Amino acid sequence: QVQLVESGGGSVQSGGSLRLSCAASGSAFSFISMGWHRQVPGKQREWVASITSGGRFTYADSVKGRFTISRDNDKNTGYLQMNSLKPEDTAVYYCNVWGRQGLLAKVDAYWGQGTQVTVAS
């Protein structure tokens, strides 16, 4: 079993910064890609940023230039650095990792529990 635990959410004023973490534990797996998503109650979950094993970084237009996705292989942890936060960024943020637990295993998607980010006007 693979578990993802998110942390780093909180409340900040407009223009502030937060750094979200996504720590993986449990069964070992081969990393394929990691993404961050966010969701507001009553709204569809929105993709925010992704990083692949090939080194490709992609961002939603709404966060380009403000958010940075990264990962630390030694710590088995992914990050989302969020700068110049806006009230529109308020949401529950989820990390999503695609990986394989063995050479004969299927590719699976793992999700964290989500962490609340609130940005005041």
Side-chain angles (χ1 to χ4, degrees):
Q1 299 292 319
V2 176
Q3 296 85 40
L4 301 180
V5 179
E6 295 155 304
S7 61
S11 298
V12 298
Q13 295 188 23
S14 181
S17 298
L18 285 173
R19 189 191 192 193
L20 306 184
S21 298
C22 179
S25 62
S27 301
F29 66 94
S30 297
F31 175 83
I32 297 176
S33 66
M34 179 184 71
W36 286 92
H37 302 75
R38 63 188 183 187
Q39 187 168 28
V40 176
K43 301 291 184 179
Q44 187 174 5
R45 186 169 296 187
E46 174 190 22
W47 167 78
V48 174
S50 297
I51 181 173
T52 71
S53 60
R56 181 180 181 184
F57 299 82
T58 53
Y59 300 90
D61 289 341
S62 59
V63 305
K64 285 182 179 178
R66 301 188 298 119
F67 290 12
T68 302
I69 189 171
S70 63
R71 68 188 183 104
D72 187 327
N73 294 336
D74 293 335
K75 296 181 179 180
N76 293 316
T77 302
Y79 304 95
L80 183 68
Q81 178 66 46
M82 305 184 294
N83 299 325
S84 301
L85 283 164
K86 305 175 181 179
E88 304 92 278
D89 296 318
T90 296
V92 177
Y93 284 71
Y94 300 87
C95 65
N96 165 233
V97 173
W98 287 88
R100 189 192 301 271
Q101 294 187 256
L103 293 176
L104 301 180
K106 64 178 182 179
V107 176
D108 284 325
Y110 312 108
W111 288 89
Q113 81 288 350
T115 184
Q116 176 70 46
V117 171
T118 302
V119 185
S121 300

